[in-house]
Amino acid sequence: MRLRRCGADAVLVELDSLTAVAAARAALAAAELPGLVDLVPAARTVLATFLPGSSGARLLRDVLEQADLATPPAVASREVVLPAVYDGPDLDLVADTAGLSRAAAIALHAGADYAVAFCGFAPGFAYLTGLPEPLCQPRLDTPRARVPVGAIGVAGEFTGIYPRASPGGWRLVARLADAAEALFDPAREPAALLAPGDRVRFEVIS
């Protein structure tokens, strides 16, 4: 674990794994540190921001040194089921790379249980862990200039869903059955449909 100050009122916690990130985030949230404004997890970091002049940043190290960062935290979570059509333009590439038939690749991806590890890249974009090992594949050599809203892709150890049309290099295997499914709506509370800790399942739609 390494701590880096980010300006006067934030600390970046650098960690070695997603498990440690989840455990650190949970420990800091439970500690109710004075002046804590937000905790932002990522693949290997947690950013803790505080109100100016508060003492929370000074107490952060003690909390983390007493926490068990090797054990996933037990947290209440909700399940989100997302109907998906498996006709992505990279589905055959993903299946061939995994040494699977198209049908087997679909069954493997849709049959997995996913969890939201963190959000980023774009508002509403959730990085889902739980991707079966054969489907853990690199990004495309050449990113697309435009990925449509609702596209479901894989990259590295993650599955993700594009909340809006944007450039992207993930291998696209499917799409939301309802492209209008609002992964992010600033007029809604909360604005993002998916949040860290949520469990996600994909329901295959023919």
Side-chain angles (χ1 to χ4, degrees):
M1 179 182 70
R2 178 179 295 178
L3 305 183
R4 296 184 183 273
R5 291 304 295 256
C6 294
D9 304 304
V11 179
L12 185 69
V13 185
E14 296 182 342
L15 299 151
D16 296 329
S17 67
L18 283 168
T19 295
V21 166
R25 177 178 178 272
L28 292 173
E32 298 183 350
L33 294 171
L36 181 64
V37 174
D38 200 7
L39 294 169
V40 182
R44 297 293 183 268
T45 62
V46 179
L47 178 67
T49 58
F50 297 88
L51 293 173
S54 67
S55 61
R58 296 193 299 273
L59 302 174
L60 180 144
R61 180 183 293 274
D62 289 341
V63 172
L64 293 178
E65 288 180 344
Q66 296 175 34
D68 178 5
L69 300 183
T71 303
V75 296
S77 61
R78 65 188 182 112
E79 183 179 70
V80 179
V81 178
L82 297 173
V85 179
Y86 280 81
D87 60 359
D90 302 316
L91 179 56
D92 289 333
L93 170 63
V94 170
D96 290 344
T97 302
L100 301 170
S101 68
R102 183 185 179 97
I106 293 172
L108 189 61
H109 188 273
D113 293 319
Y114 298 96
V116 179
F118 58 95
C119 299
F121 170 63
F125 191 101
Y127 288 76
L128 309 180
T129 58
L131 185 67
E133 193 279 331
L135 304 182
C136 295
Q137 301 180 15
R139 290 169 169 79
L140 298 172
D141 292 336
T142 302
R144 291 182 171 86
R146 184 181 185 279
V147 175
V149 60
I152 302 168
V154 299
E157 62 187 302
F158 300 109
T159 282
I161 312 164
Y162 285 78
R164 62 184 182 187
S166 66
W170 291 40
R171 297 187 180 194
L172 306 181
V173 297
R175 57 184 167 87
L176 293 181
D178 181 3
E181 177 76 46
L183 294 175
F184 185 80
D185 181 354
R188 183 179 60 202
E189 181 58 42
L193 176 65
L194 301 176
D198 287 348
R199 292 175 294 116
V200 177
R201 287 194 303 106
F202 293 107
E203 178 184 0
V204 180
I205 301 297
S206 301

